[in-house]
Structures are given as structure tokens and as C-alpha cells.
Amino acid sequence: MIQYSLHCSKGHQYDAWFKNAAAFDEQQARGIVTCAVCGDAGIEKALMAPAVARTDNERVSLSSAQPDAVQLRALLRAYRQKVISEADYVGDKFAEEARKIHFEEVEARGIYGEATRDDVIALAEDGVDFMPLPDLPEEHN
Ligand SMILES: [Zn+2]
């Protein structure tokens, strides 16, 4: 038996036992390994459980939980709130409007909205000042 830490595409994490590594690969390939929480079939191995990690040289990137992370998320959330409450929502016209403001064709004002990846590249090339609007999951209290 081998224990794997699994996570689904929605970020749920749980442990599950399989007969061996091949059994997991085979069941995953058939799409019958599903999330214990939400039933999602987009399952991936997280890291090897300590009991079997000794025999595996696979390295994973880890970081201890940063005490600042909570504070930083709160700041980003406050920033997002501020933008949404004070700026004009322009929908998918963000690139167009940002460019007008940049070239002073219209009065300067705060805006937010959506743009395609190509728009973002073009805006950066034009020297338009903008930044990503942080998209954060709601706080789990
Ligand atoms: Zn899930």
C-alpha cells in the first residue's frame, strides 16, 4: 500500500491509499480518482507522504506559512475594495478607456475593467500605467 496526498483542481487536499504507484496512475488515467470533498476528477498528487518519501527523490517547493500572508491578503482585499468603490467600471473597454486617459483625450479618472492578454501587452508598450486588480477568494471566517 502507498499513501498519497492528493489535491483537486479546486484546491481540496486529502490523503488516500492505493495498492501501489501503478494502481494510482491507472485509476487516475481512467478518471476514477475523484476529490473526496467535491467529486472533481482533476486530481493530482501533492507530495509523497513521509512514510514513502524516503524512497523517492522527487523534490517539491515548500515554504513555511508566512505570518505576513494574512496581512498582505487583507491589504490586497482593501485595495480591491477601494478600486471597486471609487473607480468607474468600464467592462471590456478597459484598454480603450485607459489609452484615452493616458493620451489625455478625456479627463483623468480611476477606471477598472477587463482586457485581453494582447491588450495588456499593447498598453504596456504604449506606456499606459495600470496594474492587475487582485482577485482574491472570499475570507473563510
Ligand atoms: Zn475538490
Side-chain angles (χ1 to χ4, degrees):
M1 295 290 281
I2 187 168
Q3 186 182 23
Y4 284 127
S5 277
L6 306 176
H7 62 88
C8 80
S9 65
K10 296 183 181 68
H12 301 127
Q13 206 162 327
Y14 64 101
D15 294 336
W17 288 93
F18 295 87
K19 200 169 84 188
N20 50 43
F24 170 80
D25 291 341
E26 195 248 356
Q27 290 179 38
Q28 186 191 31
R30 287 168 57 198
I32 57 175
V33 183
T34 54
C35 173
V37 181
C38 69
D40 180 44
I43 296 296
E44 278 176 18
K45 269 183 279 188
L47 58 156
M48 304 290 279
V52 290
R54 278 174 280 124
T55 60
D56 196 293
N57 290 320
E58 190 183 348
R59 294 288 190 273
V60 294
S61 299
L62 298 172
S63 141
S64 59
Q66 293 290 319
D68 290 348
V70 172
Q71 218 178 338
L72 191 59
R73 270 203 298 269
L75 274 175
L76 288 173
R77 193 169 277 119
Y79 172 76
R80 182 184 169 84
Q81 269 317 112
K82 186 176 161 64
V83 169
I84 289 172
S85 63
E86 295 178 7
D88 283 345
Y89 180 66
V90 294
D92 59 7
K93 298 221 173 353
F94 181 84
E96 200 180 313
E97 289 300 314
R99 199 169 268 115
K100 278 188 208 163
I101 292 167
H102 179 71
F103 293 110
E104 297 177 353
E105 291 167 23
V106 296
E107 204 177 317
R109 70 188 201 284
I111 58 168
Y112 72 102
E114 292 90 40
T116 65
R117 198 171 286 273
D118 286 347
D119 286 336
V120 169
I121 293 166
L123 285 173
E125 282 171 359
D126 286 351
V128 177
D129 197 19
F130 64 94
M131 65 176 285
L133 185 61
D135 190 12
L136 299 158
E138 290 305 310
E139 196 85 70
H140 300 289
N141 285 322

